[in-house]
Amino acid sequence: MAAAPLLYLETLRNSHPELSVWFNDLSDLYQKKLWHQLTLKLEQFLALSVLQAGDTLIQLYHNFIVDFEVKMNPLKLAHFAVIVSRQYATKEASISYLEGVNEKLRATREIRIDEPILYIKMQIAMFKLELGLQKECKKLLDDGKSTLDSMTHIDPSVYATYYWVSSQYHKSCQEFTEFYTNALLYLAYTSVESLSDSFKLDLTFDLSLSALLGDKIYNFGELLAHPIIKSLLGTKVEWLYYILEAFNSGDLVRYEELCRVHKDALNAQPALLANERKLFEKLDILCLMEIIFSRPAEDRTIPLIVIAERTKLSVEDVEHLLMKSLSVHLIEGSIDQVDGIVQVSWVQPRVLGISQVKSLRDRLDAWVSKVHETLVQVEAETPDLVAS
């Protein structure tokens, strides 16, 4: 058994006596060649806060882990390498280190080696983005998407890192819809409990703004149903949660009230100020969709004046609103300008909130009652036919 790694652990034990139990366990597992158990112990060890400062993890990798890295699960090695890379003084040094680890992974010729290599490539893409190299980041993301599409049974951590880097790329380009989509996909592969409170708040704030500003986002139900949205409550940006609720229910009155109450906070968000007109247009569309959704399926012929009253628009502007909704395929139907009505045959499916689900339940109960009444009436009028 190589002496150098054990000597290094002894050096660490002397400099960090409070971690002696950890170093004893690592040394014992290393000498017994229990690589799987050693990997699991290292996973816990690397998460200790005392090791996050300085270059402790870098030295641990080069003086200990490097001795048996080829015996580790390749994806676990990739996880460790990414953690270590964040301790380098410069992004360039971090990229160089990760590229070296990827070369070692390729040399192993292990089955499914593309998975850990992709995981590391996504961290390289993140470093390049932080350096302002957007084109190089985008190239790595495009290559990563092709690799993901060619693989099966992919570990959630690989999906998560891909969608996270993709979301941050779109954020840097101010592409709100794409950021929103990728950030939600990131959360689909990530345990919210594993995220710090500050991280959750920052991400939820960005998600909320992108939901409001995204050109193709007309349903906030998925975000409002996600546990991370609660991160806004009890903070200085709690108002954003209530604005999302107002938009999702198409409640123009509630939105105007929130704007008055939280005027200073809204004025501090230049993106919202710059897109004020677009926000009202989106709210009008969501109000229209709520009007349609709240009506029974057999009562989807709506007078334009009804929509005008709810949206506070003129009838002429309502016609423009309907044409916009039809053009982006949020609804299907036809406008009768002579009679001043719109006939809606289809409305885009939505992720419903609790109040909307209750409304749907009430309508289903009414439908069941109506079917029962019809059945009773048919039985009463045709007793012989029913009996036979």
Side-chain angles (χ1 to χ4, degrees), residues 77-190:
L77 174 59
H79 290 170
F80 293 167
V82 166
I83 294 172
V84 170
S85 71
R86 293 169 183 153
Q87 284 201 338
Y88 280 90
T90 67
K91 308 295 182 191
E92 292 85 356
S94 299
I95 292 171
S96 178
Y97 160 70
L98 289 175
E99 288 175 341
V101 174
N102 260 355
E103 286 302 317
K104 292 179 183 179
L105 286 170
R106 289 189 187 92
T108 64
R109 300 180 182 274
E110 290 272 353
I111 298 175
R112 296 183 60 82
I113 203 63
D114 285 345
E115 197 172 29
I117 288 175
L118 176 58
Y119 185 87
I120 288 177
K121 277 186 175 181
M122 290 303 97
Q123 184 59 49
I124 292 174
M126 191 69 223
F127 284 136
K128 287 185 178 292
L129 184 62
E130 291 170 355
L131 288 169
L133 304 173
Q134 286 185 323
K135 289 184 179 179
E136 293 185 30
C137 174
K138 183 63 164 60
K139 176 66 166 59
L140 286 169
L141 283 170
D142 290 342
D143 292 344
K145 184 65 168 65
S146 298
T147 303
L148 279 177
D149 291 343
S150 67
M151 296 166 64
T152 56
H153 307 296
I154 303 168
D155 188 87
S157 66
V158 180
Y159 273 122
T161 191
Y162 169 79
Y163 286 120
W164 173 251
V165 177
S166 184
S167 73
Q168 296 308 293
Y169 168 78
H170 291 298
K171 178 182 176 181
S172 72
C173 299
Q174 293 196 325
E175 296 170 346
F176 301 113
T177 301
E178 291 77 8
F179 166 80
Y180 181 82
T181 302
N182 283 276
L184 282 180
L185 285 168
Y186 161 74
L187 289 172
Y189 293 99
T190 305

Side-chain angles (χ1 to χ4, degrees), residues 100 124 163 171 179 202 224 235 277 320 322 335 357 384 387:
I124 292 174
Y163 286 120
K171 178 182 176 181
F179 166 80
D202 290 343
L224 287 169
T235 70
R277 183 176 178 180
H320 289 300
L322 288 167
I335 306 170
V357 171
D384 296 336

Side-chain angles (χ1 to χ4, degrees), residues 53 91-92 102 131 138 147 158 167 173-174 176 196 211 227 240 253 261 268-269 281 285-286 327 348 352 374 377:
K91 308 295 182 191
E92 292 85 356
N102 260 355
L131 288 169
K138 183 63 164 60
T147 303
V158 180
S167 73
C173 299
Q174 293 196 325
F176 301 113
S196 68
L240 197 50
V253 174
V261 174
Q269 300 300 323
E281 181 183 84
I285 290 175
L286 289 168
S327 68
Q348 186 186 73
L352 304 181
T374 302
Q377 184 177 359

Side-chain angles (χ1 to χ4, degrees), residues 212 218 220 224 238-259 279 282-288 290 310 350 355-356:
L212 293 170
Y218 291 96
F220 307 154
L224 287 169
E238 185 174 7
W239 53 269
L240 197 50
Y241 173 80
Y242 299 115
I243 284 181
L244 286 176
E245 283 193 323
F247 265 76
N248 198 53
S249 58
D251 193 337
L252 183 61
V253 174
R254 175 64 171 154
Y255 175 65
E256 290 177 338
E257 178 189 351
L258 288 167
C259 287
L279 288 172
K282 176 177 285 193
L283 184 55
D284 288 336
I285 290 175
L286 289 168
C287 182
L288 169 65
E290 189 65 23
R310 284 280 296 273
R350 308 172 68 192
S355 62
Q356 292 166 322

Side-chain angles (χ1 to χ4, degrees), residues 28-40:
D28 183 54
L29 293 171
Y30 175 79
Q31 292 182 78
K32 291 179 179 178
K33 300 183 180 181
L34 298 174
W35 309 124
H36 175 67
Q37 292 86 338
L38 179 56
T39 300
L40 296 179

